[in-house]
Amino acid sequence: DTAVSQTPKYLVTQMGNDKSIKCEQNLGHDTMYWYKQDSKKFLKIMFSYNNKELIINETVPNRFSPKSPDKAHLNLHINSLELGDSAVYFCASSQIQGAVGYTFGSGTRLTVV
Amino acid sequence: GDSVTQMEGPVTLSEEAFLTINCTYTATGYPSLFWYVQYPGEGLQLLLKATKADDKGSNKGFEATYRKETTSFHLEKGSVQVSDSAVYFCALSGDTGNQFYFGTGTSLTVIP
């Protein structure tokens, strides 16, 4: 019954590795997002994506790339992980781009060592 | 551009105290306004929302009124409980629906 699910919940990896975080929503929403939350709880939009358009926050390094195999999935792939990538990453979805609020996943805590 | 400013925390209250978390916004047009809550170790959950001026959103004893004249959407609760301890985010959706802005979050701790 989980509306927006992300896996894994925790991810510990070494610098330089490549990793992916998966996100799936069963709400039939047409837009999905990735957010990064830092240690001070500040939320930063990374990407928004619907079946027509990918909007990238230009401050996000190109080591981060979203991949959407279909409307219900938006995975986040990260190349060459760095210490500063350690954060909690949240996936979210909405029916219309932001107009009625988002539904969030429970987050993936990434720790780069 | 559109933005949201909320009071900085952390906020610590005793159980049954009155809570106010201030939120003001800057926006063109007629945005929708939201409060989200993040309990420890969890994702953000929609707490309440208001889509037009003078609307009052309410849920779980929390309330917020969309005040266009003061561009505010302050969150209030008359009597907080320990279980209300969380981080609260004010958010705005532009009237075109394609932008969503979060405040910086306010951490609330309620002590018995």
Side-chain angles (χ1 to χ4, degrees), chain B residues 22-61:
Chain B
N22 290 338
C23 173
T24 57
Y25 69 89
T26 301
T28 55
Y30 303 94
S32 296
L33 300 172
F34 307 83
W35 276 100
Y36 281 81
V37 58
Q38 183 179 25
Y39 298 105
E42 298 183 13
L44 280 73
Q45 304 173 25
L46 179 63
L47 180 60
L48 53 85
K49 67 178 181 181
T51 57
K52 61 182 187 296
D54 300 326
D55 270 2
K56 177 186 284 187
S58 61
N59 187 24
K60 298 182 180 179

Side-chain angles (χ1 to χ4, degrees), chain A residues 2-48:
Chain A
T2 303
V4 180
S5 60
Q6 335 177 190
T7 55
K9 189 172 177 64
Y10 300 97
L11 181 56
V12 181
T13 188
Q14 291 186 328
M15 284 176 54
N17 284 349
D18 302 340
K19 290 293 180 184
S20 292
I21 306 172
K22 296 183 177 181
C23 178
E24 175 182 4
Q25 54 97 2
N26 62 7
L27 298 167
H29 287 171
D30 56 17
T31 306
M32 297 182 72
Y33 312 82
W34 278 105
Y35 277 82
K36 179 180 180 181
Q37 186 176 47
D38 63 21
S39 58
K40 295 183 178 180
K41 303 296 185 182
F42 182 69
L43 284 164
K44 174 184 172 182
I45 181 75
M46 301 178 72
F47 305 100
S48 67

Side-chain angles (χ1 to χ4, degrees), chain A residues 64-108:
Chain A
F64 291 80
S65 57
K67 299 188 189 303
S68 180
D70 55 56
K71 181 179 168 181
H73 297 83
L74 183 65
N75 303 324
L76 181 65
H77 190 76
I78 316 169
N79 291 328
S80 303
L81 278 155
E82 301 178 356
L83 292 176
D85 298 332
S86 296
V88 181
Y89 292 84
F90 287 101
C91 179
S93 70
S94 68
Q95 179 59 28
I96 303 172
Q97 286 179 310
V100 294
Y102 291 3
T103 301
F104 280 83
S106 57
T108 296

Side-chain angles (χ1 to χ4, degrees), chain B residues 47 64 73 84:
Chain B
L47 180 60
F73 193 55
D84 294 326

